[in-house]
Amino acid sequence: MEKKRAKNNRTLTVEPDEIERLQRLITPAEQLTVGLDFDNRIIQGDLLCVLDRIPDGVADLIIIDPPYNLSKNFHGLNFQARSHDAYLAYLRSWFHRVCAKLKPAGSLYLCGDWRCTAALQTVMSEELTVLNRITWQREKGKGAMHNWKNGMEDIWFGVKDARHYYFDVEAVKQKRRVIAPYRQNGKPKDWVETSEGNFRLTYPSNFWDDISVPFWSMPENTDHPTQKPEKLYAKLILASSREGDLVFDPFLGSGTAAVVAKKLNRRYLGVELNGEYCLWAAKRLCLAEQDASIQGYVDGVFWERNTLAVQRSHTALPDEE
Ligand SMILES: C[S@@+](CC[C@H](N)C(=O)[O-])C[C@H]1O[C@@H](n2cnc3c(N)ncnc32)[C@H](O)[C@@H]1O
């Protein structure tokens, strides 16, 4: 049944007459053959069956956003919460094989929440040198009467070779509002005055509080239950890959990693089980050809949440979950 949507709801949908065209942009797992070019490809299929057909060492950057250890329905795929040991076994069933796809100087990010983060750290340490854990304050979260509402996620950062990996900190600088505008000889020290307020360009830390989860008035939004924001993946991709590099996402979902890779002139490869999610990803990739903007990332800098006038003007405030 078709969903009723509010007037300003910009959630992406795929119309019946678009399906055939979009499907041509998706490669079913059964069609993967030896010698196939894996550049800019969305593969529809089960990761566990697909992995052996993807050559090792193809990816410069891997971003993994797996099912967390929560009971969640991904439009038909019912992932069930399980014990720590059972979740660890689930991660081990694919993580090491995914790492094999990484180039020797490649980087990998693995997303999770507090519940599964110990298991994530374990598998990361088994295969990579862990360099950091980013904490993303995602704001939205389900209220709990007998516990603290969960508003945080973790993103583990690891590399194959800690002496040789790419990291461009200049590409991910953050524009922050200056709270105490200090002046020296009457002139702003390390900050600039603009019509929008006073700002300073800062180096990013591993605490990210400038990114909201996609919501209904944002054009990047889909009905995927756990879609990641484009701004979040833009930071990972800009810091840890060069233009032309290949970004691999083994749990592609609605296509965020592929879409951001394309917008930032990287190549992409994604695997997703659900056919409808693949269609959303394909449509987002088509739309990226006309509009390569990433909300919150303007003129090469990341703006704090709600500081950018242009951002405020075309979005409404998020509704609470
Ligand atoms: C947490 S979501 C990823 C969301 C994604 N980052 C986005 O921005 O839309 C995990 C995805 O993995 C997919 N998935 C789960 N098991 C899979 C498998 N064995 N093979 C391929 N995809 C799988 C689910 O359908 C779901 O879309």
Side-chain angles (χ1 to χ4, degrees):
M1 206 172 69
E2 208 174 297
K3 274 190 178 176
K4 275 222 164 106
R5 305 210 189 253
K7 204 166 117 254
N8 297 328
N9 191 318
R10 303 174 79 181
T11 302
L12 176 137
T13 53
V14 168
E15 302 307 321
D17 62 351
E18 294 178 298
I19 293 176
E20 206 182 314
R21 177 179 61 85
L22 293 173
Q23 231 140 22
R24 275 188 246 121
L25 307 175
I26 301 163
T27 309
E30 314 77 74
Q31 284 175 20
L32 293 177
T33 49
V34 180
L36 190 83
D37 183 359
F38 282 90
D39 282 0
N40 300 329
R41 209 172 270 284
I42 302 173
I43 299 168
Q44 187 191 340
D46 186 337
L47 179 70
L48 295 169
C49 308
V50 166
L51 271 175
D52 284 344
R53 302 198 215 162
I54 299 174
D56 286 349
V58 288
D60 298 279
L61 170 62
I62 298 181
I63 301 177
I64 314 178
D65 181 18
Y68 297 178
N69 195 4
L70 300 166
S71 294
K72 178 78 71 184
N73 185 349
F74 293 100
H75 289 84
L77 170 75
N78 273 310
F79 193 87
Q80 290 301 319
R82 53 200 78 181
S83 69
H84 169 82
D85 287 350
Y87 187 73
L88 194 54
Y90 162 73
L91 294 178
R92 286 188 177 129
S93 71
W94 51 261
F95 184 76
H96 305 286
R97 293 166 68 202
V98 168
C99 284
K101 309 303 163 198
L102 198 58
K103 286 186 180 162
S107 301
L108 184 147
Y109 292 92
L110 178 61
C111 307
D113 66 357
W114 69 271
R115 229 181 264 273
C116 64
T117 210
L120 301 185
Q121 185 178 16
T122 300
V123 289
M124 287 284 287
S125 314
E126 286 168 354
E127 199 68 31
L128 304 168
T129 302
V130 176
L131 294 185
N132 216 323
R133 185 193 66 186
I134 297 160
T135 299
W136 168 38
Q137 186 204 26
R138 62 186 179 105
E139 262 193 354
K140 268 173 90 175
K142 282 207 165 66
M145 295 307 289
H146 305 287
N147 199 343
W148 309 101
K149 173 167 134 174
N150 183 31
M152 300 284 174
E153 297 212 3
D154 287 342
I155 305 161
W156 289 92
F157 170 36
V159 294
K160 271 210 164 154
D161 181 346
R163 287 159 309 158
H164 302 285
Y165 66 96
Y166 179 80
F167 193 77
D168 184 359
V169 76
E170 294 296 329
V172 284
K173 279 192 170 169
Q174 202 180 345
K175 197 153 185 165
R176 281 185 174 277
R177 200 179 281 282
V178 179
I179 295 160
Y182 180 70
R183 287 178 190 268
Q184 214 169 32
N185 302 325
K187 292 203 177 104
K189 189 175 184 299
D190 304 333
W191 53 274
V192 287
E193 281 176 302
T194 76
S195 55
E196 307 225 281
N198 302 328
F199 293 99
R200 176 181 287 129
L201 264 190
T202 59
Y203 286 100
S205 78
N206 58 359
F207 174 61
W208 294 4
D209 61 352
D210 59 325
I211 308 170
S212 307
V213 282
F215 52 91
W216 55 269
S217 63
M218 289 167 73
E220 70 186 74
N221 193 50
T222 72
D223 278 329
H224 192 287
T226 62
Q227 184 179 345
K228 285 284 188 288
E230 292 187 6
K231 187 179 179 187
L232 185 113
Y233 278 14
K235 290 196 187 205
L236 306 180
I237 290 173
L238 283 166
S240 293
S241 70
R242 300 173 175 87
E243 285 203 6
D245 278 358
L246 185 93
V247 180
F248 174 41
D249 182 344
F251 295 94
L252 187 67
S254 65
T256 311
V259 170
V260 178
K262 180 173 177 145
K263 288 183 174 182
L264 297 172
N265 302 317
R266 274 73 170 167
R267 295 170 293 136
Y268 59 83
L269 172 62
V271 181
E272 171 56 52
L273 191 58
N274 182 297
E276 195 172 17
Y277 298 168
C278 287
L279 289 171
W280 296 341
K283 180 152 178 184
R284 289 177 72 191
L285 284 162
C286 292
L287 293 172
E289 276 164 27
Q290 275 92 55
D291 181 4
S293 64
I294 293 167
Q295 196 163 322
Y297 174 65
V298 179
D299 297 334
V301 290
F302 289 91
W303 290 68
E304 265 183 320
R305 241 180 212 147
N306 303 327
T307 46
L308 197 56
V310 57
Q311 211 176 308
R312 283 197 302 270
S313 65
H314 69 233
T315 58
L317 284 173
D319 49 341
E320 273 299 303
E321 251 177 11

Short mmCIF file of all heavy atoms in Angstrom, two decimals, residues 45-48 65-68 74 77 79 90 222 224 226-229 233 249-257 271-274 277 284, ligand 1:
data_model
loop_
_atom_site.label_atom_id
_atom_site.label_comp_id
_atom_site.label_asym_id
_atom_site.label_seq_id
_atom_site.Cartn_x
_atom_site.Cartn_y
_atom_site.Cartn_z
N GLY A 45 22.74 -9.36 -4.00
CA GLY A 45 22.91 -10.76 -3.60
C GLY A 45 23.40 -10.86 -2.18
O GLY A 45 23.61 -9.84 -1.50
N ASP A 46 23.56 -12.09 -1.73
CA ASP A 46 24.02 -12.36 -0.38
C ASP A 46 25.54 -12.22 -0.33
O ASP A 46 26.25 -12.92 -1.05
CB ASP A 46 23.60 -13.78 0.02
CG ASP A 46 23.92 -14.08 1.48
OD1 ASP A 46 24.81 -13.42 2.05
OD2 ASP A 46 23.27 -14.99 2.03
N LEU A 47 26.01 -11.33 0.54
CA LEU A 47 27.45 -11.07 0.65
C LEU A 47 28.26 -12.36 0.77
O LEU A 47 29.32 -12.50 0.16
CB LEU A 47 27.70 -10.17 1.86
CG LEU A 47 29.17 -9.82 2.13
CD1 LEU A 47 29.70 -8.89 1.05
CD2 LEU A 47 29.35 -9.21 3.49
N LEU A 48 27.73 -13.29 1.57
CA LEU A 48 28.49 -14.53 1.83
C LEU A 48 28.70 -15.34 0.55
O LEU A 48 29.69 -16.05 0.41
CB LEU A 48 27.76 -15.37 2.88
CG LEU A 48 27.70 -14.70 4.26
CD1 LEU A 48 26.76 -15.43 5.18
CD2 LEU A 48 29.09 -14.62 4.87
N ASP A 65 28.74 -1.03 7.32
CA ASP A 65 27.65 -0.69 8.23
C ASP A 65 26.76 -1.93 8.31
O ASP A 65 25.73 -2.02 7.64
CB ASP A 65 26.88 0.51 7.65
CG ASP A 65 25.75 0.98 8.52
OD1 ASP A 65 25.73 0.63 9.73
OD2 ASP A 65 24.86 1.69 8.00
N PRO A 66 27.16 -2.90 9.13
CA PRO A 66 26.45 -4.18 9.14
C PRO A 66 25.19 -4.10 10.00
O PRO A 66 25.00 -3.12 10.72
CB PRO A 66 27.47 -5.10 9.82
CG PRO A 66 28.18 -4.21 10.79
CD PRO A 66 28.24 -2.85 10.14
N PRO A 67 24.33 -5.13 9.95
CA PRO A 67 23.25 -5.18 10.95
C PRO A 67 23.90 -5.17 12.34
O PRO A 67 24.84 -5.92 12.59
CB PRO A 67 22.58 -6.53 10.66
CG PRO A 67 22.91 -6.84 9.23
CD PRO A 67 24.28 -6.27 9.01
N TYR A 68 23.42 -4.26 13.22
CA TYR A 68 23.94 -4.22 14.59
C TYR A 68 23.31 -5.38 15.37
O TYR A 68 22.39 -6.04 14.88
CB TYR A 68 23.58 -2.89 15.28
CG TYR A 68 24.20 -1.65 14.63
CD1 TYR A 68 23.91 -0.38 15.15
CD2 TYR A 68 25.05 -1.72 13.53
CE1 TYR A 68 24.47 0.76 14.59
CE2 TYR A 68 25.61 -0.58 12.97
CZ TYR A 68 25.30 0.66 13.49
OH TYR A 68 25.84 1.80 12.93
N PHE A 74 14.79 -5.52 8.07
CA PHE A 74 15.21 -4.78 6.87
C PHE A 74 14.27 -5.17 5.71
O PHE A 74 14.65 -5.91 4.81
CB PHE A 74 16.67 -5.13 6.52
CG PHE A 74 17.67 -4.63 7.52
CD1 PHE A 74 18.20 -5.49 8.48
CD2 PHE A 74 18.10 -3.31 7.53
CE1 PHE A 74 19.13 -5.05 9.41
CE2 PHE A 74 19.02 -2.85 8.47
CZ PHE A 74 19.54 -3.73 9.40
N LEU A 77 14.18 -9.02 5.66
CA LEU A 77 15.30 -9.72 6.33
C LEU A 77 15.20 -9.39 7.81
O LEU A 77 15.43 -8.25 8.22
CB LEU A 77 16.66 -9.27 5.77
CG LEU A 77 17.86 -9.76 6.57
CD1 LEU A 77 18.13 -11.24 6.29
CD2 LEU A 77 19.11 -8.96 6.25
N PHE A 79 16.73 -9.54 11.11
CA PHE A 79 17.97 -9.80 11.84
C PHE A 79 17.60 -9.89 13.32
O PHE A 79 16.95 -9.00 13.84
CB PHE A 79 19.01 -8.71 11.58
CG PHE A 79 20.38 -9.09 12.06
CD1 PHE A 79 21.23 -9.80 11.24
CD2 PHE A 79 20.81 -8.77 13.34
CE1 PHE A 79 22.49 -10.19 11.68
CE2 PHE A 79 22.07 -9.14 13.79
CZ PHE A 79 22.91 -9.85 12.95
N TYR A 90 28.97 -14.32 13.96
CA TYR A 90 28.37 -13.75 12.74
C TYR A 90 29.37 -12.81 12.05
O TYR A 90 29.59 -12.91 10.84
CB TYR A 90 27.07 -13.02 13.11
CG TYR A 90 26.61 -12.06 12.04
CD1 TYR A 90 26.07 -12.53 10.84
CD2 TYR A 90 26.75 -10.67 12.21
CE1 TYR A 90 25.68 -11.65 9.85
CE2 TYR A 90 26.36 -9.79 11.23
CZ TYR A 90 25.83 -10.28 10.04
OH TYR A 90 25.46 -9.40 9.05
N THR A 222 15.57 8.04 2.40
CA THR A 222 14.79 6.94 1.82
C THR A 222 14.04 6.27 2.97
O THR A 222 14.18 6.68 4.13
CB THR A 222 15.70 5.88 1.16
OG1 THR A 222 16.37 5.15 2.20
CG2 THR A 222 16.73 6.49 0.22
N HIS A 224 14.77 3.41 4.05
CA HIS A 224 15.65 2.41 4.66
C HIS A 224 15.67 2.62 6.18
O HIS A 224 15.80 3.76 6.64
CB HIS A 224 17.08 2.53 4.09
CG HIS A 224 17.94 1.37 4.46
ND1 HIS A 224 18.44 1.20 5.73
CD2 HIS A 224 18.36 0.30 3.74
CE1 HIS A 224 19.14 0.08 5.77
NE2 HIS A 224 19.12 -0.49 4.57
N THR A 226 17.84 2.09 8.51
CA THR A 226 19.08 2.50 9.21
C THR A 226 20.02 3.23 8.26
O THR A 226 21.23 2.97 8.24
CB THR A 226 19.80 1.27 9.81
OG1 THR A 226 20.18 0.40 8.73
CG2 THR A 226 18.96 0.50 10.79
N GLN A 227 19.47 4.16 7.51
CA GLN A 227 20.28 4.87 6.50
C GLN A 227 21.30 5.79 7.17
O GLN A 227 20.99 6.53 8.10
CB GLN A 227 19.34 5.69 5.62
CG GLN A 227 20.03 6.40 4.49
CD GLN A 227 19.04 7.20 3.63
OE1 GLN A 227 17.83 6.99 3.72
NE2 GLN A 227 19.56 8.10 2.84
N LYS A 228 22.53 5.77 6.67
CA LYS A 228 23.56 6.67 7.20
C LYS A 228 23.53 8.00 6.43
O LYS A 228 23.20 8.03 5.24
CB LYS A 228 24.95 6.04 7.02
CG LYS A 228 25.24 4.91 8.01
CD LYS A 228 25.56 5.46 9.39
CE LYS A 228 26.05 4.41 10.35
NZ LYS A 228 25.02 3.48 10.81
N PRO A 229 23.91 9.09 7.10
CA PRO A 229 23.91 10.41 6.43
C PRO A 229 25.05 10.53 5.42
O PRO A 229 26.16 10.04 5.66
CB PRO A 229 24.14 11.40 7.57
CG PRO A 229 24.10 10.62 8.83
CD PRO A 229 24.29 9.19 8.52
N TYR A 233 29.49 9.92 5.69
CA TYR A 233 30.35 9.13 4.80
C TYR A 233 31.29 10.04 4.00
O TYR A 233 32.38 9.62 3.63
CB TYR A 233 29.49 8.28 3.85
CG TYR A 233 29.01 6.98 4.48
CD1 TYR A 233 29.09 6.77 5.86
CD2 TYR A 233 28.50 5.94 3.71
CE1 TYR A 233 28.66 5.60 6.44
CE2 TYR A 233 28.06 4.75 4.28
CZ TYR A 233 28.15 4.60 5.65
OH TYR A 233 27.73 3.42 6.23
N ASP A 249 31.50 -1.08 -0.21
CA ASP A 249 30.56 -1.20 0.90
C ASP A 249 29.84 -2.55 0.78
O ASP A 249 29.00 -2.73 -0.09
CB ASP A 249 29.54 -0.05 0.86
CG ASP A 249 28.56 -0.11 2.02
OD1 ASP A 249 28.46 -1.17 2.67
OD2 ASP A 249 27.88 0.91 2.28
N PRO A 250 30.16 -3.50 1.66
CA PRO A 250 29.55 -4.84 1.54
C PRO A 250 28.11 -4.93 2.04
O PRO A 250 27.45 -5.95 1.82
CB PRO A 250 30.48 -5.71 2.40
CG PRO A 250 31.15 -4.78 3.34
CD PRO A 250 31.17 -3.42 2.72
N PHE A 251 27.62 -3.90 2.74
CA PHE A 251 26.21 -3.88 3.19
C PHE A 251 25.63 -2.54 2.73
O PHE A 251 25.37 -1.65 3.54
CB PHE A 251 26.12 -4.01 4.71
CG PHE A 251 26.60 -5.33 5.25
CD1 PHE A 251 27.91 -5.50 5.69
CD2 PHE A 251 25.74 -6.43 5.31
CE1 PHE A 251 28.36 -6.72 6.19
CE2 PHE A 251 26.18 -7.65 5.81
CZ PHE A 251 27.48 -7.79 6.24
N LEU A 252 25.40 -2.41 1.46
CA LEU A 252 25.16 -1.11 0.82
C LEU A 252 23.87 -0.42 1.26
O LEU A 252 23.79 0.81 1.24
CB LEU A 252 25.17 -1.28 -0.71
CG LEU A 252 25.10 -0.01 -1.52
CD1 LEU A 252 26.37 0.82 -1.35
CD2 LEU A 252 24.89 -0.33 -3.01
N GLY A 253 22.84 -1.19 1.63
CA GLY A 253 21.57 -0.58 2.03
C GLY A 253 21.02 0.31 0.93
O GLY A 253 20.96 -0.07 -0.24
N SER A 254 20.71 1.57 1.30
CA SER A 254 20.11 2.51 0.34
C SER A 254 21.17 3.16 -0.55
O SER A 254 20.85 4.06 -1.31
CB SER A 254 19.36 3.58 1.11
OG SER A 254 20.27 4.34 1.88
N GLY A 255 22.42 2.77 -0.41
CA GLY A 255 23.45 3.23 -1.36
C GLY A 255 24.31 4.39 -0.93
O GLY A 255 25.08 4.93 -1.73
N THR A 256 24.24 4.80 0.35
CA THR A 256 24.93 6.02 0.78
C THR A 256 26.42 6.04 0.40
O THR A 256 26.91 7.03 -0.14
CB THR A 256 24.77 6.22 2.30
OG1 THR A 256 23.38 6.07 2.61
CG2 THR A 256 25.23 7.60 2.74
N ALA A 257 27.13 4.94 0.66
CA ALA A 257 28.58 4.94 0.38
C ALA A 257 28.84 5.13 -1.12
O ALA A 257 29.74 5.90 -1.51
CB ALA A 257 29.22 3.65 0.87
N VAL A 271 27.45 -4.19 -2.24
CA VAL A 271 26.67 -5.43 -2.27
C VAL A 271 25.47 -5.24 -1.34
O VAL A 271 25.62 -4.74 -0.22
CB VAL A 271 27.51 -6.64 -1.77
CG1 VAL A 271 26.67 -7.92 -1.83
CG2 VAL A 271 28.78 -6.80 -2.60
N GLU A 272 24.30 -5.62 -1.82
CA GLU A 272 23.08 -5.51 -1.00
C GLU A 272 22.13 -6.64 -1.39
O GLU A 272 21.94 -6.92 -2.57
CB GLU A 272 22.42 -4.12 -1.22
CG GLU A 272 21.05 -3.94 -0.61
CD GLU A 272 20.97 -4.22 0.90
OE1 GLU A 272 21.76 -3.66 1.67
OE2 GLU A 272 20.09 -5.03 1.29
N LEU A 273 21.55 -7.22 -0.35
CA LEU A 273 20.66 -8.38 -0.54
C LEU A 273 19.28 -7.96 -1.05
O LEU A 273 18.69 -8.63 -1.91
CB LEU A 273 20.52 -9.06 0.84
CG LEU A 273 19.88 -10.41 0.96
CD1 LEU A 273 20.62 -11.45 0.12
CD2 LEU A 273 19.92 -10.85 2.44
N ASN A 274 18.79 -6.86 -0.55
CA ASN A 274 17.40 -6.47 -0.79
C ASN A 274 17.25 -5.73 -2.13
O ASN A 274 17.89 -4.70 -2.37
CB ASN A 274 16.95 -5.57 0.37
CG ASN A 274 15.51 -5.14 0.25
OD1 ASN A 274 15.13 -4.44 -0.68
ND2 ASN A 274 14.69 -5.57 1.18
N TYR A 277 16.11 -1.98 -1.94
CA TYR A 277 17.19 -1.08 -1.52
C TYR A 277 18.15 -0.83 -2.69
O TYR A 277 18.65 0.29 -2.87
CB TYR A 277 17.99 -1.66 -0.35
CG TYR A 277 17.21 -1.90 0.93
CD1 TYR A 277 17.77 -2.64 1.98
CD2 TYR A 277 15.93 -1.38 1.12
CE1 TYR A 277 17.08 -2.86 3.16
CE2 TYR A 277 15.24 -1.62 2.31
CZ TYR A 277 15.82 -2.36 3.31
OH TYR A 277 15.14 -2.58 4.49
N ARG A 284 19.39 6.95 -6.50
CA ARG A 284 20.22 8.01 -5.88
C ARG A 284 21.47 8.27 -6.72
O ARG A 284 21.91 9.41 -6.84
CB ARG A 284 20.61 7.60 -4.45
CG ARG A 284 19.46 7.62 -3.47
CD ARG A 284 19.90 7.14 -2.09
NE ARG A 284 20.76 8.11 -1.41
CZ ARG A 284 21.44 7.82 -0.31
NH1 ARG A 284 21.39 6.61 0.23
NH2 ARG A 284 22.19 8.76 0.26
C1 LIG B 1 22.79 -1.22 8.51
S1 LIG B 1 22.19 -1.48 6.91
C2 LIG B 1 23.23 -0.47 5.87
C3 LIG B 1 22.64 0.89 5.61
C4 LIG B 1 23.48 1.74 4.68
N1 LIG B 1 24.71 2.15 5.29
C5 LIG B 1 22.71 2.97 4.19
O1 LIG B 1 23.20 4.10 4.38
O2 LIG B 1 21.62 2.82 3.67
C6 LIG B 1 22.68 -3.10 6.59
C7 LIG B 1 22.24 -3.62 5.24
O3 LIG B 1 22.82 -4.89 5.03
C8 LIG B 1 21.93 -5.68 4.26
N2 LIG B 1 22.32 -7.08 4.47
C9 LIG B 1 22.19 -7.82 5.59
N3 LIG B 1 22.70 -9.06 5.40
C10 LIG B 1 23.21 -9.07 4.15
C11 LIG B 1 23.89 -10.06 3.38
N4 LIG B 1 24.13 -11.28 3.88
N5 LIG B 1 24.28 -9.75 2.13
C12 LIG B 1 24.04 -8.50 1.62
N6 LIG B 1 23.38 -7.53 2.30
C13 LIG B 1 22.97 -7.81 3.55
C14 LIG B 1 20.55 -5.30 4.79
O4 LIG B 1 19.54 -5.56 3.84
C15 LIG B 1 20.74 -3.80 5.08
O5 LIG B 1 20.29 -3.01 4.01
#
